[in-house]
Amino acid sequence: MFLKIYHKYIIKKYLFTFLQLLIVFSSLIFILNIFEEINFVKDKNISFHYSIILTLLNLPSTIYELSPFIFLLSAQFFFIKILENDELDAFKKFGLSNTKILSAVSITTFFIGILIVSLFYNFSAELKYFYYDLKNKISEENKYLAAITENGIWLKDENNTSINFINAKKLNENYIENVSITVFNKNFDLIKNIEAKKADISNFNWKIYDVKIFESNKPKKQVDYIYLQTNFDYKRLNSLFSNLFSVSIWNLFNFQKDPNLINFSSKQISLHLNQIYSYPFFISLMTLVSAVLMLNLDRNKNKFFYIFLGVLLSVVIYFFRYMFSFLGDTKDLTPTISIWLPILFITIITFFGLVKINEK
């Protein structure tokens, strides 16, 4: 179905307002973050350009997290513009109701939300992962690295005498399971292979159980346990994979099937996936909330008053959702209820504001 002329005009004006605010927020986020990254790299004896790279890698993820707030303000500024230019009254003279305007804005937002979830989110997650990986390399001078693949957890660990490549199938509380360690000297000559059922990583000195040791020209050696000094412990390993915003949707599906691979429970992963699923609905709802607020207030009020109310409203909605997300992260609510119930409440409240919207 072809868009009508008024649809094209409203969508174009709304998207232009959204892009303007997106550029403003992106610039502010970049400026604020780069000072933090400069402070991080200044003592590392590395080039200044690393702070720019780190900031750019972290930027898309931060924009995604703030985007509902950006959409709310975009809708506010859109309605401020058409109210200031008396375009709303002009629309009404041509038989265009407020409901049709809101429909055009909210449906446009919904489709933008689908694009963001299907394309932009995975892009931002990959960059966020590279951000953590690069920061890890810089902070420890590349002496240890960590990654998660479909084959489990992979670690590169270096000490004064050897370089160890460690693979484990699962991380289960303070233990890694099905452990394989390949030990090289500084010249990358193979010293030995170690296989074990599990390792206690409560501290940096691992205790490895049910160990089999394979060395060149020597018979297999089997012992009950050995100790291995490393640069990793449970807290450090978990911290490397502590942000679900650095995990793509496809990997979230894999982690949901095998939640013990990393430190997230299946409930945490389900909660995060429901947040992603609800994203297009939530940002569409934010634009409707903003529109209802703008159309139900006195037009003679100063526009900064409207902006203040919008900011205040977004903060209230944020803490409302955060409260339910917190309950969903515990045993009190299921992930589905904790994410979708606030959206249902806000929808009902917004509906009452829409009842007489065409009379405004």
Side-chain angles (χ1 to χ4, degrees):
M1 186 177 73
F2 293 102
L3 293 174
K4 295 182 179 179
I5 294 175
Y6 76 83
H7 280 136
K8 293 179 181 179
Y9 178 80
I10 291 170
I11 292 170
K12 182 179 178 182
K13 195 176 187 72
Y14 172 65
L15 288 178
F16 182 71
T17 305
F18 171 72
L19 288 174
Q20 284 180 313
L21 279 174
L22 183 62
I23 292 170
V24 170
F25 271 85
S26 299
S27 302
L28 289 173
I29 293 167
F30 181 87
I31 292 169
L32 292 174
N33 282 2
I34 197 168
F35 286 111
E36 180 182 344
E37 302 304 343
I38 290 172
N39 188 56
F40 172 74
V41 303
K42 68 180 182 180
D43 298 323
K44 307 295 180 182
N45 294 321
I46 57 175
S47 174
F48 168 77
H49 77 271
Y50 276 101
S51 61
I52 299 176
I53 295 173
L54 287 169
T55 303
L56 291 174
L57 289 174
N58 193 38
L59 183 63
S61 178
T62 308
I63 290 173
Y64 174 83
E65 294 182 57
L66 291 176
S67 58
F69 177 66
I70 298 174
F71 277 106
L72 184 142
L73 285 181
S74 297
Q76 274 197 291
F77 276 98
F78 167 77
F79 280 100
I80 287 173
K81 288 179 181 179
I82 64 174
L83 286 170
E84 285 183 342
N85 297 331
D86 294 324
E87 290 179 283
L88 197 61
D89 295 329
F91 288 147
K92 287 181 179 180
K93 290 178 181 179
F94 288 96
L96 188 60
S97 65
N98 290 341
T99 302
K100 290 183 178 179
I101 299 173
L102 294 185
S103 297
V105 172
S106 59
I107 292 172
T108 301
T109 303
F110 182 80
F111 281 108
I112 294 173
I114 292 175
L115 288 175
I116 289 174
V117 167
S118 58
L119 299 175
F120 183 77
Y121 177 84
N122 287 311
F123 171 72
S124 68
E126 291 294 331
L127 292 185
K128 189 81 169 183
Y129 177 82
F130 289 131
Y131 168 79
Y132 285 129
D133 186 50
L134 179 58
K135 209 161 188 178
N136 172 42
K137 292 176 183 179
I138 293 171
S139 61
E140 298 299 328
E141 300 175 347
N142 207 21
K143 287 188 177 181
Y144 68 83
L145 304 174
I148 290 180
T149 71
E150 60 183 8
N151 295 319
I153 299 170
W154 288 91
L155 309 173
K156 176 195 171 187
D157 186 50
E158 184 176 343
N159 55 42
N160 293 330
T161 59
S162 64
I163 300 171
N164 303 323
F165 288 89
I166 304 166
N167 174 234
K169 296 300 181 184
K170 288 185 179 181
L171 171 62
N172 188 4
E173 296 183 350
N174 291 341
Y175 293 89
I176 53 174
E177 300 176 358
N178 297 325
V179 184
S180 177
I181 305 172
T182 305
V183 183
F184 295 90
N185 62 22
K186 292 294 185 177
N187 296 321
F188 280 95
D189 297 320
L190 178 63
I191 299 175
K192 58 186 175 184
N193 289 311
I194 300 171
E195 294 183 0
K197 288 187 177 180
K198 65 178 182 178
D200 184 348
I201 60 171
S202 301
N203 53 57
F204 294 109
N205 192 26
W206 293 5
K207 187 175 183 179
I208 307 175
Y209 296 91
D210 297 321
V211 181
K212 296 177 183 178
I213 303 174
F214 302 88
E215 295 184 73
S216 299
N217 301 320
K218 290 184 180 181
K220 179 179 71 173
K221 186 178 179 181
Q222 192 163 348
V223 296
D224 292 334
Y225 64 87
I226 62 172
Y227 288 95
L228 180 69
Q229 188 67 35
T230 72
N231 290 300
F232 292 96
D233 65 352
Y234 173 72
K235 290 182 179 179
R236 174 170 283 179
L237 190 58
N238 273 320
S239 69
L240 297 174
F241 310 111
S242 60
N243 193 325
L244 280 172
F245 284 103
S246 66
V247 183
S248 67
I249 294 175
W250 319 119
N251 283 332
L252 284 171
F253 293 147
N254 293 330
F255 294 163
Q256 193 174 35
K257 295 176 184 176
D258 192 4
N260 287 326
L261 181 62
I262 51 175
N263 59 312
F264 303 114
S265 67
S266 58
K267 193 171 186 179
Q268 286 176 299
I269 296 171
S270 179
L271 187 72
H272 191 73
L273 282 171
N274 272 279
Q275 286 178 331
I276 296 172
Y277 300 151
S278 67
Y279 178 83
F281 299 95
F282 181 61
I283 60 172
S284 300
L285 189 57
M286 292 293 277
T287 59
L288 284 176
V289 168
S290 179
V292 169
L293 176 70
M294 297 300 296
L295 294 174
N296 279 284
L297 293 177
D298 186 355
R299 295 189 189 184
N300 296 321
K301 292 282 186 181
N302 188 286
K303 64 181 179 180
F304 292 107
F305 172 76
Y306 292 120
I307 296 169
F308 171 77
L309 282 182
V311 172
L312 182 62
L313 186 62
S314 64
V315 171
V316 171
I317 292 174
Y318 170 81
F319 280 105
F320 183 60
R321 290 194 80 205
Y322 176 81
M323 180 183 67
F324 275 86
S325 295
F326 178 79
L327 292 174
D329 203 19
T330 65
K331 298 179 180 179
D332 300 313
L333 291 176
T334 65
T336 302
I337 292 175
S338 64
I339 296 301
W340 291 97
L341 193 59
I343 292 178
L344 179 61
F345 284 160
I346 299 170
T347 302
I348 293 171
I349 294 171
T350 306
F351 175 77
F352 287 112
L354 289 171
V355 171
K356 295 183 178 181
I357 203 73
N358 287 323
E359 298 176 5
K360 301 297 178 180

